């Protein structure tokens, strides 16, 4: 196993170092305090080794550090308050460790900090996001996924003017989403999924650089904001497993870069925007478990990029979009338990990667094809009005009730 040089050797060879990178070499033991001899050190990366024990309480003995990465080790105990005294620090990466103590609010004193990652520290004692973290006016990336965060989000979160990416997913946060968050001009990514956030989401959205919004798996209610339709850079919108109600705003259907639209299991009603994805290369469309009515949008697969169509358990009517016949990338079509009628686009059956087709409990009428995609493993078409051959070669199917 690789070992660090002894203290005297470090003093001789490393005391003038500005940059030290020792990752992925299985270094054991505790934090090497011999590095304190390198008083000019600015960049220290000891990630993905086998270090154990605590980060020293006097780590501020390296006062010129600008980059500190200790991720992917087995550091435990508290994250020391002394880190908050490293005033030159720009980048702090402490994710994927074994910390079982507390997170110091002193981190909020690092006025030059641009990148902070505390994610995947699942053994931390439950903690609230310190309000003074929002004083980090230069912070661009704040990642604290799956790290036992509790309590409410600070109302001052919207004062972090430089923030570009926020990931607080997979925690136990509650309360509402601060309205100021969606006003941040530089914000491009929001991950708040799998928490216990509640109430209506902010309706005023001025963060026009947003490309990903994932606030799924919470207890959010109210309408989907009309202002989401102004987010021309948006590629992913994930609102599933909440309590959103009302109609899908028509403006969302005209977004030019939307690739993933996932709003399943909510209380949405009304018709889907007829222009949905006419202008975007949609890949995933998941709207199941709502109370939607009317037709599926005609343009769902205009660009031939759609892979996932999941719309079961609604009140949808009319025919399946003819553009499905051009979707060579289709992997699943799940539209059971609706009021769909008419034919199935013949080209759909030969999509080379089509794995699942679930269309039970509709009023679809057509002859089933003699040949289907070789990759199809699940076919459920009961309670329709099909005729002709029953496809063979499918390992799992349910045809009961078909005629």
């Amino acid at each position: 196993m690789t070992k660090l040089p002894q203290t005297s050797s470090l003093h001789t060879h490393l005391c003038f170092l500005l940059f030290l990178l020792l990752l992925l070499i299985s270094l054991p033991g505790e934090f090497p305090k011999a590095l304190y001899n390198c008083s000019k050190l600015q960049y220290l990366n000891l990630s993905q080794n086998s270090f154990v024990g605590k980060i020293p309480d006097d780590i501020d003995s390296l006062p010129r550090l600008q980059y500190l990465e200790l991720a992917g080790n087995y550091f435990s105990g508290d994250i020391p308050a002394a880190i908050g005294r490293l005033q030159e620090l720009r980048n702090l990466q402490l994710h994927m460790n074994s910390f079982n103590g507390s997170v110091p609010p002193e981190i909020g004193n690092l006025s030059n900090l641009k990148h902070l990652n505390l994610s995947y520290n699942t053994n931390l004692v439950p903690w609230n996001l310190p309000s003074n973290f929002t004083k980090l006016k230069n912070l661009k990336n704040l990642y604290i996924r799956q790290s036992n965060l509790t309590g409410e989000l600070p109302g001052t979160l919207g004062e972090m003017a430089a923030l570009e990416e926020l990931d607080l997913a997979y925690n136990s946060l509650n309360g509402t989403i601060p309205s100021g968050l969606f006003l941040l001009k530089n914000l491009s990514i929001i991950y708040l999924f799998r928490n216990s956030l509640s109430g209506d989401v902010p309706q005023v959205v001025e963060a026009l650089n947003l490309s990903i919004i994932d606030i799924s798996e919470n207890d959010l209610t109210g309408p989907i904001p009309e202002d989401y339709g102004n987010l021309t850079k948006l590629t992913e919108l994930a609102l599933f497993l909440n309590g959103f109600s009302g109609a899908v705003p028509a403006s969302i259907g005209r977004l030019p870069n939307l690739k993933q639209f996932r709003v399943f299991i909510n209380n949405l009603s009304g018709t889907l925007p007829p222009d949905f994805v006419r202008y975007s290369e949609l890949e995933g469309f998941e709207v199941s478990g709502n109370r939607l009515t009317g037709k599926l949008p005609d343009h769902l697969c205009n660009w031939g990029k759609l892979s996932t169509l999941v719309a079961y358990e609604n009140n949808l009517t009319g025919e399946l979009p003819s553009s499905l016949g051009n979707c060579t990338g289709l992997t699943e079509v799940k539209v059971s338990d609706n009021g769909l009628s008419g034919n199935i686009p013949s080209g759909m059956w030969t999509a080379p990667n089509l794995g699942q087709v679930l269309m039970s409990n509709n009023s679809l009428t057509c002859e089933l094809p003699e040949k289907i995609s070789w990759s199809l493993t699940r076919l459920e078409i009961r309670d329709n009005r099909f005729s002709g051959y029953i496809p063979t070669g499918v390992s799992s199917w349910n045809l009961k009730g078909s005629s």
Side-chain angles (χ1 to χ4, degrees), residues 80-93:
I83 285 180
R85 295 192 288 272
L86 295 170
Q87 286 301 305
E88 298 299 315
L89 209 59
R90 267 74 167 167
N91 197 322
L92 177 59
Q93 305 288 321

Side-chain angles (χ1 to χ4, degrees), residues 87-247:
Q87 286 301 305
E88 298 299 315
L89 209 59
R90 267 74 167 167
N91 197 322
L92 177 59
Q93 305 288 321
L94 299 178
H95 50 288
M96 298 177 67
N97 272 285
S98 300
F99 298 117
N100 53 3
S102 60
V103 176
E106 284 82 359
I107 290 176
N109 297 330
L110 298 172
S111 58
N112 292 306
L113 199 64
K114 294 183 177 180
H115 308 281
L116 174 60
N117 194 340
L118 302 175
S119 296
Y120 303 112
N121 284 300
T122 57
N123 295 321
L124 284 168
V125 297
W127 61 295
N128 292 8
L129 190 67
S131 58
N132 70 335
F133 272 33
T134 65
K135 296 179 181 179
L136 298 172
K137 302 305 182 185
N138 291 305
L139 197 68
K140 293 183 176 182
N141 306 119
L142 177 58
Y143 305 137
I144 315 180
R145 178 180 293 198
Q146 201 171 345
S147 293
N148 221 4
L149 265 180
T150 63
E152 298 189 6
L153 292 171
T156 51
L157 198 62
E159 297 177 8
M160 302 178 72
L163 197 63
E164 297 176 3
E165 298 182 11
L166 175 68
D167 186 351
L168 306 179
Y170 220 121
N171 284 294
S172 299
L173 295 167
N174 55 42
T176 59
I177 298 175
S179 59
L181 180 63
F182 283 89
L183 304 180
L184 294 173
K185 306 299 185 183
N186 295 306
L187 194 62
S188 63
I189 294 176
I190 295 176
Y191 288 125
L192 292 175
F193 63 85
R194 200 169 290 193
N195 279 285
S196 298
L197 298 167
S198 59
D200 291 5
V201 297
Q203 297 294 304
V204 178
V205 180
E206 297 178 1
L208 300 182
N209 280 307
L210 277 168
S211 61
I212 297 175
I213 300 173
D214 191 340
I215 52 177
S216 59
E217 298 183 75
N218 281 286
D219 298 309
L220 299 166
T221 54
I224 298 174
E226 293 276 351
D227 279 2
Y228 285 0
N230 298 327
L231 302 176
T232 57
K233 297 180 181 179
L234 197 66
T235 61
E236 298 181 25
L237 180 59
L239 309 177
F240 59 88
L241 285 167
N242 278 291
F244 287 105
S245 57

Side-chain angles (χ1 to χ4, degrees), residues 17-55:
L17 273 183
L18 300 179
F19 182 103
L20 180 59
L21 178 64
L22 295 171
L23 73 161
L24 282 170
I25 50 177
S26 300
L27 291 171
E30 297 187 343
F31 183 92
K33 296 182 73 170
L35 292 173
Y36 290 174
N37 293 309
C38 309
S39 59
K40 297 181 180 180
L41 196 63
Q42 296 179 8
Y43 182 108
L44 176 59
N45 188 339
L46 302 179
S47 62
Q48 299 184 63
N49 283 291
S50 299
F51 288 112
V52 296
K54 295 183 177 182
I55 297 174

